[in-house]
Amino acid sequence: MARVLSRFNDGIMARVFGHEIIEELGQYAEVPVVNGLSDLTHPCQIMGDIFTAFEHKGRYEDLKIAYIGDGNNVANSWINLAARLSLDLRIGCPEGFEPNAELLQKAKAEGKSEIRIINDPVEAVKDADIVYTDVWASMGQEEEAAQRKRIFAPYQINEELVSHAAADCIVEHCLPAHRGDEITDAVIDGPHSVVFDEAENRLHIQKAIVVKLMAS
Ligand code: NVA
């Protein structure tokens, strides 16, 4: 399939479950392969997220980022970003829902960022410049949704939790959001939210990725 798609197209973007599918496409394709989301990482999302942070905070580095929720593909991509940019990254997740240990170890070994797993959401969010969350049950985990809702309840981004972050913090969410679960209406529609700038920036950053990979 990678070889055939390469004959028809200048690039391939694939959104998959198994990360090995992306790797295999990359192995056999003759055109650039972009990870549009896998169960391991979501790199295009994180580029839009840090660009949005840049627009609001004026810098890419030396930001305190509190990712609150599931240690999933988005959390793993924040960790990959922290391997490249100097960040203070806290992952606030319940025990048993930590991000990928191998990516975490690699990112820590780069020595650019402070990266901590903090199970207490209030401690994780303390003085943060960016408060971030994602759904508690990702695509493919729908059957676990009810159980996860109970486990993740203390990790909801609500006004009380945001009050522990920096007074001028921004709140990001990769969308789609489950309002009333991982984030309340008051926060997603509130003064700290940059969620719709972030959604728009997915388009702009995607164009930048296409230029970088495909402009001759
Ligand atoms: N963690 C979510 C991200 C959606 C943009 C998922 O994989 O479904």
Side-chain angles (χ1 to χ4, degrees):
M1 190 188 289
R3 286 177 179 155
V4 172
L5 288 174
S6 300
R7 298 291 181 106
F8 293 167
N9 301 287
D10 296 318
I12 301 169
M13 174 183 256
R15 178 171 270 220
V16 300
F17 285 119
H19 188 72
E20 66 286 352
I21 300 171
I22 292 286
E23 290 182 337
E24 200 178 345
L25 279 170
Q27 192 183 340
Y28 293 104
E30 285 144 23
V31 295
V33 173
V34 178
N35 177 354
L37 176 149
S38 74
D39 56 11
L40 184 65
T41 54
H42 196 2
C44 295
Q45 178 66 51
I46 250 55
M47 283 188 265
D49 300 340
I50 195 69
F51 176 52
T52 308
F54 175 77
E55 284 188 329
H56 286 270
K57 294 285 160 198
R59 60 190 194 277
Y60 286 108
E61 294 195 285
D62 303 320
L63 291 163
K64 296 187 182 77
I65 298 162
Y67 174 99
I68 306 295
D70 188 21
N72 61 16
N73 44 7
V74 174
N76 289 336
S77 281
W78 272 112
I79 288 171
N80 280 345
L81 187 73
R84 291 162 178 82
L85 299 179
S86 171
L87 301 169
D88 174 350
L89 177 62
R90 308 87 176 262
I91 307 284
C93 60
E95 269 185 66
F97 294 87
E98 288 83 4
N100 182 274
E102 197 182 322
L103 294 182
L104 183 62
Q105 197 189 356
K106 274 193 194 161
K108 283 187 174 175
E110 289 294 326
K112 283 228 182 238
S113 297
E114 187 171 355
I115 310 173
R116 286 172 290 166
I117 309 295
I118 299 173
N119 296 125
D120 177 353
V122 174
E123 197 190 327
V125 100
K126 198 170 180 320
D127 300 327
D129 300 304
I130 305 174
V131 179
Y132 195 105
T133 193
D134 184 12
V135 290
W136 291 337
S138 283
M139 289 179 272
Q141 296 173 334
E142 289 78 6
E143 282 177 13
E144 295 172 34
Q147 186 198 0
R148 282 172 172 260
K149 215 168 165 158
R150 284 191 294 277
I151 297 169
F152 283 94
Y155 295 81
Q156 183 189 64
I157 306 297
N158 51 39
E159 287 171 301
E160 205 287 314
L161 191 59
V162 171
S163 75
H164 297 278
D168 61 350
C169 74
I170 58 172
V171 173
E172 294 191 340
H173 189 309
C174 54
L175 299 182
H178 290 179
R179 287 168 175 259
D181 285 354
E182 75 275 1
I183 193 162
T184 59
D185 286 336
V187 172
I188 200 168
D189 298 325
H192 296 284
S193 174
V194 297
V195 162
F196 298 101
D197 290 349
E198 184 188 359
E200 179 187 335
N201 283 336
R202 290 280 276 117
L203 171 66
H204 303 311
I205 210 77
Q206 214 59 60
K207 290 185 287 188
I209 292 168
V210 169
V211 169
K212 173 87 180 158
L213 294 178
M214 294 169 209
S216 50

